[in-house]
Amino acid sequence: MNGWRCDRRRVLGGLAGLALTGTVPAMARATESAAPAPATLAALLDRWRDDPHPDLKGVVVLRHGQRVAETYYNSDDAATLHDIRSATKSLTSLLMGIAIDRGQVAGVDAPITRYLPAPLPAGWPAGWESITIRDLLTMRAGLAADDTDPASPGNEDTLDEAAEKNGDWATAALAVPVREPPGRTYQYCSLNAFLTGLIVERATGQGLDAFAQEALFAPLGIAAHSWRQLPGGHGTGQGNLSITARDAATIGQMVLNQGTYNGHRVISRRWLSDSLARIHPIAGSDPYADFYGYMWYAKDEPVSDGRTVPVHFASGNGGNKIYVVPSLDLVVAITSSAYGKGYGQRRSQDILLAILATLS
């Protein structure tokens, strides 16, 4: 298996862990002002210091736009860049939205072939001409791509291996056959997110990383990040973006603010409304989500009084999460290196549920 795979790559980082108890160290002070964490919330996050698995890395909680709690574990700190794996897909969706807002991409109903290399590769599979950008964003492109099936032509590891031989991830990706007409079946896969990023690159004339820096990270004050580049010089739209837990929370705050940050619009309200919509039910195949939108998940989670509240989130292997809870004006970012471990996802959900019980 390829060690750089978006669901397996490990990023090392960190100095000493810390818990926010009212102040933020000057070395890593965030742009938003820190508010004292309630003692109950600080104590709650401290529970996970006793977790038997030494791979939880950080939890940052924003309430009403203020950082009310922040705890780091297992040698990470506020400055550590962490690979959020497939939570990156949700950011690739944001970049597509910005490109559409700017008129660089026609819209979600545009056929993807409008933005693919011309001329197309010899022997290119039939059926791609019917796939739209919306189909990619909702994981319903109909391509023979299944990351859980090693025999699938569009399996991410298979594409990694092919790209190592021919030197170009895009060439390998464009050779994947169509399994069924698009728009029918939800099949989560990395190929759809890669193609979304490739279209952004071709439409904007910039590498995915460069476009993200100009259009998303700079407006949010994100100064440091690392993003894997694939063979052929393409961006990894499907994963392997490394950012700090604080910056992950900042992205969540912009989403919570319906596309604005510090009074400036970063992305249109409409794009976020469409992205967070409950487009396709997936509870039958995903125990941690009820619906899928434009590469964002949604789930109704219980709170202390027996009610449920809608939660929108980005999700990556190992338990990497950006949770957005509009009804509580709440953002929770979790970084974790439990890659390939089932408990990573369960632990992050447990942390969220404990926070919801405390703050609701």
Side-chain angles (χ1 to χ4, degrees):
M1 299 295 185
N2 191 327
W4 288 98
R5 188 172 184 269
C6 74
D7 281 342
R8 297 179 188 178
R9 183 185 177 202
R10 292 181 180 271
V11 172
L12 303 178
L15 298 170
L18 63 95
L20 184 70
T21 56
T23 61
V24 181
M27 61 173 277
R29 184 170 287 116
T31 55
E32 68 272 14
S33 57
T40 53
L41 190 53
L44 182 154
L45 295 181
D46 272 344
R47 292 181 204 166
W48 277 273
R49 295 194 184 283
D50 297 325
D51 192 293
H53 305 290
D55 45 22
L56 180 61
K57 295 299 183 176
V59 181
V60 176
V61 182
L62 306 181
R63 188 89 191 275
H64 307 311
Q66 302 296 311
R67 194 168 60 247
V68 296
E70 179 176 32
T71 304
Y72 293 96
Y73 313 83
N74 300 305
S75 300
D76 271 29
D77 68 7
T80 303
L81 296 179
H82 181 84
D83 185 347
I84 62 172
R85 297 297 170 96
S86 286
T88 305
K89 291 178 173 67
S90 300
L91 276 68
T92 299
S93 172
L94 294 178
L95 296 176
M96 174 59 78
I98 294 171
I100 290 175
D101 288 344
R102 294 181 175 186
Q104 294 168 302
V105 174
V108 294
D109 292 320
I112 66 173
T113 50
R114 182 183 303 184
Y115 302 96
L116 295 178
L120 294 168
W124 192 53
W128 279 61
E129 64 278 357
S130 299
I131 302 171
T132 67
I133 291 170
R134 187 194 305 273
D135 295 325
L136 296 180
L137 292 167
T138 58
M139 297 290 176
R140 295 185 294 182
L143 293 167
D146 182 350
D147 290 341
T148 67
D149 180 5
S152 172
N155 175 281
E156 187 179 16
D157 283 339
T158 301
L159 294 176
D160 273 340
E161 293 168 2
E164 288 176 0
K165 294 178 181 177
N166 66 34
D168 187 5
W169 227 89
T171 299
L174 293 174
V176 173
V178 174
R179 182 188 68 244
E180 64 179 34
R184 290 185 179 179
T185 305
Y186 169 88
Q187 177 61 64
Y188 180 90
C189 67
S190 292
L191 176 57
N192 288 339
F194 167 76
L195 292 170
T196 301
L198 181 65
I199 289 168
V200 170
E201 289 186 328
R202 293 187 60 80
T204 64
Q206 299 183 67
L208 195 61
D209 193 353
F211 183 67
Q213 176 59 39
E214 177 262 314
L216 183 62
F217 298 150
L220 297 181
I222 296 175
H225 74 278
S226 175
W227 202 345
R228 176 192 174 200
Q229 190 173 71
L230 292 166
H234 307 293
T236 316
Q238 65 268 37
N240 294 141
L241 171 67
S242 297
I243 56 176
T244 68
R246 284 184 176 180
D247 288 340
T250 295
I251 292 166
Q253 185 65 45
M254 184 273 292
V255 172
L256 181 65
N257 291 349
Q258 299 180 313
T260 65
Y261 186 74
N262 283 343
H264 299 286
R265 180 153 298 282
V266 179
I267 190 170
S268 68
R269 181 192 298 258
R270 177 177 178 179
W271 180 262
L272 287 175
S273 176
D274 291 346
S275 295
L276 304 184
R278 299 178 169 211
I279 296 173
H280 190 80
I282 61 172
S285 60
D286 190 331
Y288 301 105
D290 295 333
F291 294 92
Y292 200 71
Y294 289 172
M295 296 186 181
W296 284 82
Y297 296 88
K299 185 174 178 62
D300 291 332
E301 296 285 16
V303 293
S304 57
D305 60 1
R307 295 179 297 112
T308 60
V309 295
V311 179
H312 307 282
F313 61 100
S315 179
N317 192 326
N320 292 285
K321 305 286 184 179
I322 303 175
Y323 291 112
V324 178
V325 191
S327 64
L328 297 177
D329 201 12
L330 174 71
V331 173
V332 179
I334 301 175
T335 52
S336 167
S337 293
Y339 304 129
K341 311 293 185 182
Y343 64 78
Q345 301 288 356
R346 293 192 297 272
R347 180 176 61 197
S348 291
Q349 186 179 48
D350 289 344
I351 293 171
L352 172 69
L353 293 177
I355 292 170
L356 291 177
T358 299
L359 295 181
S360 60

